[in-house]
């Protein structure tokens, strides 16, 4: 799965002031004796939402907690999923009125699911199955485009693992059908995505060159490819686990890289050509 925080308790990173100095002590969010890991965080305009996977119920479930802007808990932990199967790798995105939550779940094979959450984490409506492939779909990433959610994930329905995409409306309904985004020899894994205001930037880990490299592509709001793939890294060593953010004028990409002989974090930017 995606590179996860393998701690037994989640702790909020030390808050930083405008100059980067710590703005307060670490805040421990969870206190259960079982394992809490794989946190995701999203800003809602006035506070944070945090989701994670949790084993306190005898299997892996997704939990949520609202966090105030000052880093203190703004409400109690909320159990989001409740199924005998495992629910893994939550990813949160804020829509302007509520959260979208993507995760993968083993209740009907290993597929990607979506749930809407109110600002306090209460579930709105029913969970929706987003991916429908017969094999494992995992490591979802979720973005809000201003009118709907877009989910991407890695999917094992082909000989090689590929990146798939699906759209989910603001009211939590799947829009159209899944789209296969990648189609090159070797596995395509660990997608990460950012919205520019008019299109999506997608980064992923790709094996087409004989080793893992970071690739990038533009997508329309509907998931249509816009132009060719861009190979970001060119090195004989492995580049994996990419992450991406939009600055307003360029994409910043970070990834784990082994070219120095041990895992290090590298950075580069992708500039739109128009």
């Amino acid at each position: 799965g995606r590179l996860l925080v393998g701690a037994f308790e989640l702790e909020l990173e030390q808050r930083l002031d405008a100059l980067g100095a710590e703005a307060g002590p670490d805040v421990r969010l969870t206190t259960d004796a079982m394992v809490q890991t794989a946190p995701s965080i999203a800003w809602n305009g006035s506070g944070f939402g945090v989701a994670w996977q949790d084993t306190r119920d005898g299997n892996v479930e997704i939990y949520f907690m609202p966090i105030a802007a000052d880093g203190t808990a703004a409400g109690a932990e909320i159990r989001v999923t409740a199924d005998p199967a495992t629910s893994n790798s939550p990813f949160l995105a804020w829509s302007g009125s509520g959260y979208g939550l993507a995760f993968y779940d083993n209740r009907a094979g290993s597929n990607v699911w979506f749930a809407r959450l109110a600002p306090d984490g209460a579930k709105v409506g029913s969970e929706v199955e987003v991916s429908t492939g017969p094999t494992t779909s995992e490591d979802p990433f979720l973005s809000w485009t201003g009118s709907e959610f877009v989910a991407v994930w890695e999917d094992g329905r082909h000989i090689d693992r590929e990146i798939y995409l699906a759209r989910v409306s603001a009211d939590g309904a799947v829009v159209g059908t899944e789209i296969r985004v990648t189609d090159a020899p070797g596995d395509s894994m660990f997608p990460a995505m950012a919205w520019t205001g008019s299109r999506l930037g997608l980064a992923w880990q790709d094996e087409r060159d004989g080793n893992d490299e970071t690739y990038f592509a533009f997508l329309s709001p509907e998931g249509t490819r816009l132009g060719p793939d861009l190979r970001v890294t060119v090195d004989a060593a492995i580049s994996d686990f990419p992450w991406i953010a939009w600055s307003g004028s360029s994409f910043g990409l970070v990834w784990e890289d082994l070219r120095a002989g041990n895992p290090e974090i590298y950075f580069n930017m992708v500039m739109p050509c128009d």
Side-chain angles (χ1 to χ4, degrees):
R2 187 180 298 278
L3 189 63
L4 303 177
V5 178
F8 286 94
E9 299 293 341
L10 297 177
E11 294 189 5
L12 193 65
E13 288 293 329
Q14 288 179 302
R15 289 158 285 163
L16 305 179
D17 66 20
L19 298 178
E22 296 170 3
D26 295 346
V27 179
R28 181 173 177 174
L29 298 183
T30 61
T31 58
D32 192 84
M34 300 304 290
V35 175
Q36 291 87 44
T37 189
S40 175
I41 189 169
W43 173 253
N44 65 19
S46 61
F48 299 96
V50 177
W52 65 91
Q53 62 187 52
D54 197 300
T55 64
R56 72 183 70 183
D57 303 297
N59 66 311
V60 183
E61 299 289 358
I62 308 300
Y63 273 72
F64 176 95
M65 179 184 287
I67 305 296
D70 65 359
T72 58
E77 300 165 300
I78 296 174
R79 180 177 174 179
V80 177
T81 59
D83 192 271
T86 60
S87 301
N88 305 273
S89 296
F91 196 96
L92 283 171
W94 176 252
S95 72
S97 59
Y99 295 100
L101 172 69
F103 57 97
Y104 76 91
D105 195 292
N106 293 326
R107 72 186 73 176
S110 183
N111 282 332
V112 173
W113 289 71
F114 175 90
R116 287 190 299 152
L117 305 179
D120 64 358
K123 191 156 56 178
V124 180
S126 300
E127 298 162 14
V128 177
E129 189 174 15
V130 175
S131 67
T132 59
T135 56
T136 300
S137 302
E138 58 187 358
D139 293 315
F141 198 103
L142 192 67
S143 288
W144 171 252
T145 67
S147 60
E148 62 186 11
F149 295 97
V150 178
V152 288
W153 64 91
E154 64 178 74
D155 198 293
R157 71 186 75 180
H158 305 283
I159 295 175
D160 298 321
R161 300 190 68 76
E162 301 291 353
I163 307 302
Y164 269 70
L165 176 149
R167 299 155 55 203
V168 181
S169 68
D171 60 2
V174 176
V175 178
T177 58
E178 302 159 280
I179 297 173
R180 181 178 176 177
V181 177
T182 60
D183 188 6
D187 290 333
S188 299
M189 302 179 293
F190 306 116
M193 188 167 50
W195 172 246
T196 69
S198 62
R199 54 186 166 173
L200 294 157
L202 176 71
W204 70 94
Q205 175 181 323
D206 198 293
E207 291 184 340
R208 73 184 71 178
D209 305 298
N211 66 307
D212 291 317
E213 299 287 359
T214 297
Y215 270 73
F216 173 92
F218 284 112
L219 306 176
S220 75
E222 297 76 32
T224 304
R225 298 293 295 272
L226 302 174
D229 296 346
L230 171 66
R231 182 177 174 178
V232 177
T233 59
V234 182
D235 194 88
I238 291 173
S239 302
D240 51 12
F241 303 120
W243 206 268
I244 186 171
W246 172 246
S247 73
S249 60
S250 64
F251 291 96
L253 278 77
V254 292
W255 64 91
E256 178 187 282
D257 199 295
L258 297 180
R259 73 184 71 178
N262 62 297
E264 301 287 354
I265 305 304
Y266 278 68
F267 171 87
N268 207 335
M269 291 190 292
V270 173
M271 309 291 291
C273 295
D274 55 6

